Amino acid sequence: MAGQEFAEGFRFPPGFLWGAATAAHQVEGDNRASDWWAAEESGRLPHRSGRACDHLRRYEADFDLARAFGHNAHRLSLEWSRLEPEPGVRDEAAFGHYERVLEALRARGLEPVVTLHHFTAPRWFAERGGWLAADALDRFAAHVDAVVERFGSQIRWWITVNEPTVLAKHGWVTGDWPPFVRGRWDLAFRVIHRLCTAHRRAYRCIHARVPDALVSFAHSIPWIEPCDPSRTLDRLAARLRTIFLVDWCFDRVRESGRRLLDYVAVNYYTRSIVRWRPRGRALLFGVDCHEPHHGPRLFDDLDQELWPEGLLQVLRRCARLGLPVLVTENGIATTDDGLRLAHLRGHLEALARALGEGVELRGYLHWSLMDNFEWAKGTTARFGLAATDFATLERRPRPAMRLLAEVARTGRLAPTGSEVTSA
Ligand code: FCB
């Protein structure tokens, strides 16, 4: 989508946040008190996270790397199961660890964007029924309160829960993630509702202690469009998918007529082209369409379509909520450096176009700093700006990391073809 408008390049606003996003279980390693670790040990998941990227011990070197490549922000999650390994028991060593992690970010000029719940929970929480248990919301609220009491003054950007719809879908519909329930959209929507309620309580808790905090939940927002726009039922399928998987969460975080959000945290990866199928489980949302009339489409190793234009569409749509927007995830699973560069370049252009149109975009956090433990896919899906050698744990910056560094350092997206791809 480059075109004429970037012939002179594009200038990003001063203070724009540039960085990468991570999640504790995917990078830290040895996340033993979590429900995911338990599920890995039980053999119900195909991979074990083990030491993952050993970020638990290597976080300073990782933050050095981020800084050396121009980042000024970093998204991380504080692992609930480390901080509260048993109900009501706060682990002071874990609090101390995250204290040092936040200090290490500050020392390197990296603005922390902190997630409180990124898919994993303490094992005890899952064993008591997880998000569907009667006291789930109270348990999470007590945890949030402890975190905010300790770290509140050090964190401006907060993400309460990560991707309610994705967690609910994998845990209660496709059943490939804990708690491995299949085909229960009814439970999935209860879980989404609970996560949105958990967000509202966390929002109020954070603001009670940190009035100027910026709080959101991270929402997975694909760009959804009908397979054949002239077919009413395809349009209906796309509409229903958008209502239930995108808009519903934005409605659930309302309280007394206002959304409890200070910004919109967008995780954007792909587009879904939807076709109506009037039978079976996909009734409500239609099915993904792969018909040839859409022309050649590029997919990554997880079969997600590379579609930068969709980020622009999603940003325009989010801007209609009347809030600033932060891209809290965007990335591609591939080992092909050319494809990764094309992906990054395309999405940077989408950011530039959105800003050019007046979207209040605050920053871009790429998923992820380095290849890491990609949930049920283990280390087979490579999302890193830096490649991780899982035998030696060495991180090797990829060309896309250099492109992002160039843009972050100069604040300028050079015209197509002139980007710097070597160190
Ligand atoms: C998102 C998750 C993140 C990572 C990326 C690839 O849905 O939030 O943890 O797995 O996908």
Side-chain angles (χ1 to χ4, degrees):
M1 71 172 144
Q4 282 307 92
E5 49 210 307
F6 294 111
E8 305 298 319
F10 179 86
R11 282 222 162 270
F12 284 87
F16 197 80
L17 298 180
W18 293 107
T22 59
H25 188 71
Q26 294 179 269
V27 295
E28 287 181 347
D30 288 328
N31 192 19
R32 291 168 187 271
S34 71
D35 56 345
W36 266 79
W37 186 276
E40 287 162 18
E41 293 295 304
S42 76
R44 297 193 77 183
L45 284 162
H47 302 275
R48 290 182 178 199
S49 51
R51 61 180 179 168
C53 302
D54 196 31
H55 179 71
L56 193 68
R57 278 167 281 268
R58 296 168 194 242
Y59 64 91
E60 289 180 294
D62 287 335
F63 298 160
D64 285 342
L65 180 71
R67 184 179 169 202
F69 280 80
H71 299 195
N72 62 8
H74 185 74
R75 180 178 171 205
L76 71 160
S77 71
L78 309 184
E79 178 61 37
W80 180 8
S81 61
R82 288 192 200 282
L83 295 167
E84 191 180 358
E86 298 296 335
V89 177
R90 316 276 166 215
D91 186 316
E92 183 43 42
F95 275 87
H97 169 76
Y98 286 122
E99 183 87 57
R100 289 189 294 281
V101 167
L102 291 169
E103 269 166 30
L105 288 170
R106 212 179 10 256
R108 290 161 180 79
L110 296 165
E111 176 80 38
V113 177
V114 172
T115 313
L116 293 168
H117 182 269
H118 197 125
F119 297 159
T120 49
R123 184 181 184 150
W124 60 260
F125 179 80
E127 284 167 354
R128 292 170 168 217
W131 285 103
L132 293 174
D135 65 351
L137 294 175
D138 292 338
R139 290 289 182 183
F140 184 63
H143 164 64
V144 172
D145 197 50
V147 170
V148 179
E149 185 183 11
R150 177 70 175 258
F151 300 123
S153 61
Q154 300 165 55
I155 302 166
R156 181 144 192 263
W157 292 86
W158 297 79
I159 294 173
T160 54
V161 293
N162 184 63
E163 298 188 342
T165 53
V166 173
L167 180 59
K169 186 177 130 206
H170 283 287
W172 285 266
V173 181
T174 54
D176 52 339
W177 289 7
F180 306 104
V181 179
R182 289 176 153 269
R184 293 294 304 268
W185 274 112
D186 57 328
L187 295 182
F189 277 104
R190 273 178 63 193
V191 169
I192 296 171
H193 174 75
R194 288 228 145 174
L195 289 166
C196 291
T197 310
H199 162 81
R200 284 194 271 116
R201 284 183 67 169
Y203 180 98
R204 281 190 263 108
C205 170
I206 297 166
H207 273 285
R209 291 189 194 267
V210 192
D212 62 351
L214 298 169
V215 186
S216 192
F217 72 97
H219 201 3
S220 167
I221 313 187
W223 177 245
I224 301 170
E225 60 185 56
C227 179
D228 179 350
S230 73
R231 281 210 300 252
T232 311
L233 287 177
D234 282 2
R235 289 204 310 275
L236 181 64
R239 186 81 203 101
L240 287 174
R241 216 189 257 206
T242 306
I243 289 172
F244 284 104
L245 297 185
V246 181
D247 299 346
W248 204 65
C249 278
F250 285 137
D251 288 338
R252 297 261 81 68
V253 297
R254 275 178 193 280
E255 215 168 80
S256 317
R258 95 173 178 96
R259 277 192 194 86
L260 299 191
L261 293 177
D262 300 314
Y263 68 100
V264 187
V266 177
N267 292 358
Y268 173 78
Y269 285 90
T270 192
R271 85 168 151 173
S272 318
I273 302 183
V274 189
R275 190 164 62 79
W276 177 261
R277 192 180 68 169
R279 269 192 308 276
R281 270 189 274 139
L283 176 67
L284 203 51
F285 309 126
V287 292
D288 288 327
C289 143
H290 293 279
E291 288 175 17
H293 70 267
H294 295 289
R297 296 165 67 190
L298 281 175
F299 292 87
D300 75 0
D301 293 349
L302 293 183
D303 272 338
Q304 306 213 84
E305 186 182 3
L306 188 164
W307 186 248
E309 176 77 27
L311 176 58
L312 175 61
Q313 303 283 8
V314 163
L315 292 174
R316 283 180 181 148
R317 210 160 181 277
C318 290
R320 284 195 237 137
L321 296 174
L323 293 164
V325 184
L326 178 66
V327 176
T328 41
E329 284 183 34
N330 169 246
I332 182 169
T334 185
T335 48
D336 179 330
D337 282 338
L339 195 60
R340 192 184 301 284
L341 269 174
H343 171 278
L344 181 60
R345 170 89 211 177
H347 288 82
L348 293 173
E349 286 177 5
L351 303 179
R353 287 185 61 185
L355 281 161
E357 290 177 15
V359 173
E360 276 187 70
L361 186 59
R362 296 286 188 258
Y364 174 79
L365 304 176
H366 189 88
W367 185 273
S368 183
L369 182 62
M370 61 218 157
D371 297 338
N372 56 44
F373 182 76
E374 179 50 36
W375 308 113
K377 304 287 177 192
T379 54
T380 61
R382 304 294 177 116
F383 277 96
L385 287 169
T388 303
D389 177 332
F390 286 97
T392 62
L393 292 178
E394 186 199 343
R395 284 74 156 131
R396 255 176 290 107
R398 294 189 164 114
M401 190 162 194
R402 295 191 260 277
L403 169 59
L404 188 62
E406 181 69 17
V407 178
R409 276 195 208 110
T410 60
R412 178 167 176 269
L413 180 62
T416 315
S418 60
E419 61 265 27
V420 178
T421 54
S422 55

